[in-house]
């Protein structure tokens, strides 16, 4: 699905597209953490517990 | 008064001894801001007249034997994402609605500091919504560094850092989601504490990352930070993340003695992607020697999951920030600065699964670091490997490149207490810093270690040349 544009400027949309690629790569790195395969996220949401 | 006190603790001692007054301290702070604020961009709003009134009331209390404690009569500043009883909170943005403050009310932190007698000098510059970059197209001051006004004060607690360094107040409130207390502390040569997550309530503070935002003190010394923390900390029903933990006398833990303390060190040079200042390694090693001199055992270790921790911080922060900002990004796009709107909008690529996975990795990370703290009591790293960048090198179109070789985000998803303190000047005369991190809730030891260094060194008292008497006369 093509994301809905935020900016009227094509230059800004290009910047957004470039940032999206960086963030998507970061997210992918985290999906590859094998140690998290069967981890419940609850302790991640509230680190004071 | 002979000379203006250099630290908050020293000012308190002078007030107790009767060798200065709150009015004198406040007038000194006002004069310094009159001299330098137009060059440094520390304040978004000054509250000079109400500060004068507060100082007068403080002196009256003291004369009546009714002092409220170590912060009574001390000039402080508030980062302008912290709501206060006086004025609107701007978050340094045209996009921030007054409805936010009407909804959330005054922050617990501002209430507590005022109740302790602190004299609020005004609201301080930040990065827009504690993110983004300085943007000269918007009607807000550009935060400049007192060590070199062509350089950035850092962020996002920009005015908090440069204002303490330049003597416009003796302590300031900062917030830290990826390093926003520790980065400006490092860049301006002061001391800043990110307490354990939940130690200081964040109600009444404009959110960036709900599960990452830490509120903490910034001042010249660890002792000053301890005195501020004693007032700022404690549960608040208004913050769902605030912990039920008692306030402690952190300042009484500052013995200068680190015998029996095990410190693990990671130089993180392998992660300094933008390079290392030529003088940084020697300054860092010298600081480790000081920790040894204080009695600590110092060993090398490897802090786990560096890249993953940085990614967790970014994914969680951007997801949480996007949820907060999406309606205004759609409706008020041009009101946001370029760097802020590109960063926040780009987070639309992140999915719910990405967010949950980041939280799962966050839990793994926490388990690994908890394990690390079974073999050491403290972890010491550089705050960063370079000093403050030139403002001309900041590119709003590439905000992610604004903080080269900075390592502070590692500790935000973990929530551990971390203090940044100065270690000397870089090869270009800008301050450098190291970080000391401890177990959850162990601010006592973190502050004690930083104080032990500062008792044996003088880097934390170094003054930017523009603030010395000769330069100001």
């Amino acid at each position: 699905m093509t994301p809905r544009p935020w900016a009227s400027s094509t230059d800004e949309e290009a910047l957004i597209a470039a940032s999206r690629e960086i963030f998507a790569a970061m997210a992918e790195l985290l999906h590859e953490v094998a140690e998290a395969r069967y981890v419940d996220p609850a302790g991640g949401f509230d680190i004071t517990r | 008064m002979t000379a203006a006190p250099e630290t908050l603790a020293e000012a308190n001692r002078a007030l107790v001894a009767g060798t200065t007054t709150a009015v004198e301290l406040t007038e000194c702070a006002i004069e310094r801001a009159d001299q330098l604020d137009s060059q440094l961009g520390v304040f978004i709003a000054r509250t000079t007249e109400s500060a004068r009134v507060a100082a007068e009331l403080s002196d009256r209390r003291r004369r009546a034997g009714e002092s409220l404690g170590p912060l009574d009569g001390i000039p402080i500043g508030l980062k302008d994402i912290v709501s206060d009883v006086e004025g609107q909170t701007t978050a340094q943005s045209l996009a921030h609605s007054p409805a936010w403050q009407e909804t959330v009310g005054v922050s617990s932190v501002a209430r507590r500091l005022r109740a302790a007698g602190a004299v609020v000098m005004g609201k301080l510059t930040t990065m827009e919504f504690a993110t983004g970059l300085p943007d000269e197209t918007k009607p807000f001051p550009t935060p400049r560094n007192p060590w070199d006004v062509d350089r950035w004060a850092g962020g996002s607690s920009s005015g908090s850092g440069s204002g303490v360094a330049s003597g416009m107040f003796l302590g300031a409130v900062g917030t830290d989601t990826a390093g926003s207390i520790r980065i400006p502390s490092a860049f301006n040569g002061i001391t800043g504490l990110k307490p354990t997550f939940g130690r200081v309530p964040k109600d009444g503070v404009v959110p960036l990352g709900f599960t990452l935002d830490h509120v903490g003190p910034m001042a010249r010394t660890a002792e000053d930070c301890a005195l501020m923390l004693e007032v700022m900390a404690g549960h608040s029903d208004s913050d769902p993340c605030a912990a039920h933990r008692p306030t402690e006398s952190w300042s009484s833990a500052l013995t200068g003695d680190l015998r029996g303390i095990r410190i693990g060190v990671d130089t993180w040079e392998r992660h300094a992607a933008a390079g290392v200042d030529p003088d940084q390694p020697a300054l860092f090693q010298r600081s480790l020697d000081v920790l040894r001199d204080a009695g600590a055992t110092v060993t090398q270790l490897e802090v786990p999951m560096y890249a993953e921790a940085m990614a967790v911080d970014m994914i969680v922060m951007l997801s949480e920030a996007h949820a907060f900002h999406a309606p205004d990004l759609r409706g008020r796009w041009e009101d946001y600065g370029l760097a802020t709107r590109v960063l926040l909008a780009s987070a639309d690529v992140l999915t719910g699964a990405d967010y949950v996975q980041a939280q799962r990795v966050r839990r793994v990370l926490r388990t690994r670091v908890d394990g690390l703290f079974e073999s050491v009591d403290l972890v010491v790293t550089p705050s960063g490997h370079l000093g403050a960048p030139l403002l001309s090198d900041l590119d709003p179109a590439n905000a992610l490149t604004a903080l080269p070789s900075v390592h502070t985000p590692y500790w935000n998803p973990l929530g551990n207490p971390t203090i940044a303190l100065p270690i000397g000047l870089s090869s270009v005369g800008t301050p450098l810093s190291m970080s000391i991190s401890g177990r959850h809730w162990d601010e006592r030891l973190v502050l004690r270690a930083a104080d032990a260094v500062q008792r044996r060194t003088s880097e934390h008292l170094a003054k930017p040349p523009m603030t010395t008497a000769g330069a100001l006369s």
Side-chain angles (χ1 to χ4, degrees), chain B residues 84-97:
Chain B
D84 188 25
V85 293
E86 190 167 5
Q88 278 296 324
T89 302
T90 70
Q92 197 148 340
S93 180
L94 298 176
H96 187 54
S97 169

Side-chain angles (χ1 to χ4, degrees), chain B residues 126-151:
Chain B
T126 171
M127 293 147 78
E128 183 178 27
F129 286 111
T131 185
L133 283 178
D135 190 330
E136 292 186 351
T137 69
K138 302 299 182 198
F140 297 101
T142 296
R144 294 176 181 273
N145 195 305
W147 290 89
D148 178 350
V149 294
D150 292 329
R151 294 180 184 272

